[in-house]
Amino acid sequence: PESTMNCGNDLLVDFPTSRRQGQIFTVESTPSTSTSKEQSTPPFPSFKKVRFSEVADMTHVDFPSSSELHQRWYTADDKTRFKRILARDVRRMISIVSSTPGECLSTEVLEACVGIEIFLSRDLAQRTREKRARHMIGVLNESGRQRRSERSDDERLSRISEKTSRWARDRAFELAVGYWELFREME
């Protein structure tokens, strides 16, 4: 079924709170209207409709003073505290996950693991650090090469970045599918 999306508000991106399972929505945009078409697909987690406004308002903001920056950004103490909290959470999750059979892990435990998966294994954390370093080196090397040759090639830089970060996208996809399957089985 086809329906016209309401473009009555000024939001650039609108994420409605209603959830739909088992349906994917593609958004097709024309200058005068936006439409949404449902496609039948295997059931996936809920998808949100996205709506883009034809007009974007921008406001000029003066660069903040150093005292304002100091108030707005995290201090070295804040960052140290965040690292301590992360280390504590990782230790706690390693203890829980290693002492609990997989089928007995609660939704709360699995949710607490989201985002810290790479820290649950020293080997995985080390491999991730190495891959991130290779990605940064590849992008920085290409950027330096372009600067030295005085030729900017954004497409080439983009392709190199895409190639060297492919592992991260694949890992994120696999994690998302894995969590979705686990949470679906728990419902």
Side-chain angles (χ1 to χ4, degrees):
E2 194 171 283
S3 63
T4 302
M5 295 175 66
N6 177 12
C7 293
N9 64 27
D10 293 335
L11 294 177
L12 285 177
V13 179
D14 181 26
F15 296 103
T17 56
S18 63
R19 294 182 151 191
R20 296 180 184 255
Q21 287 196 317
Q23 300 166 341
I24 232 176
F25 287 85
T26 58
V27 177
E28 296 177 353
S29 190
T30 63
S32 59
T33 63
S34 294
T35 59
S36 171
K37 292 183 179 178
E38 264 183 36
Q39 297 176 342
S40 182
T41 61
F44 284 99
S46 62
F47 285 87
K48 299 180 180 186
K49 291 186 265 182
V50 177
R51 190 168 49 213
F52 295 92
S53 174
E54 293 180 17
V55 179
D57 293 327
M58 294 179 67
T59 305
H60 175 76
V61 178
D62 291 328
F63 193 79
S65 68
S66 60
S67 65
E68 288 174 319
L69 286 174
H70 182 70
Q71 290 173 353
R72 292 180 188 174
W73 295 101
Y74 296 122
T75 65
D77 290 340
D78 291 334
K79 292 176 185 177
T80 301
R81 189 175 74 251
F82 296 150
K83 287 179 184 178
R84 256 190 254 118
I85 291 169
L86 174 62
R88 182 201 63 205
D89 290 347
V90 168
R91 282 192 303 274
R92 191 177 87 231
M93 296 318 304
I94 288 172
S95 173
I96 292 171
V97 170
S98 64
S99 64
T100 309
E103 63 275 1
C104 297
L105 291 172
S106 69
T107 303
E108 292 78 20
V109 169
L110 292 173
E111 287 173 352
C113 289
V114 174
I116 63 169
E117 301 87 359
I118 63 166
F119 301 111
L120 299 179
S121 157
R122 287 185 193 274
D123 182 50
L124 182 57
Q126 179 61 33
R127 285 185 303 189
T128 301
R129 274 192 295 276
E130 290 167 0
K131 288 177 181 180
R132 283 181 180 165
R134 282 196 299 270
H135 168 68
M136 286 190 303
I137 289 168
V139 170
L140 291 173
N141 283 345
E142 177 59 23
S143 180
R145 188 195 66 75
Q146 288 183 18
R147 192 176 324 108
R148 285 186 303 278
S149 69
E150 296 180 357
R151 284 194 218 153
S152 179
D153 186 349
D154 294 340
E155 288 297 320
R156 179 173 164 79
L157 190 60
S158 176
R159 283 191 307 274
I160 288 171
S161 177
E162 180 181 12
K163 182 179 177 183
T164 60
S165 65
R166 179 76 202 185
W167 63 272
R169 290 189 307 284
D170 291 344
R171 183 176 58 93
F173 177 78
E174 290 169 9
L175 282 170
V177 169
Y179 277 120
W180 175 73
E181 288 174 353
L182 283 171
F183 289 131
R184 185 182 64 174
E185 289 172 8
M186 295 177 127
E187 290 179 347

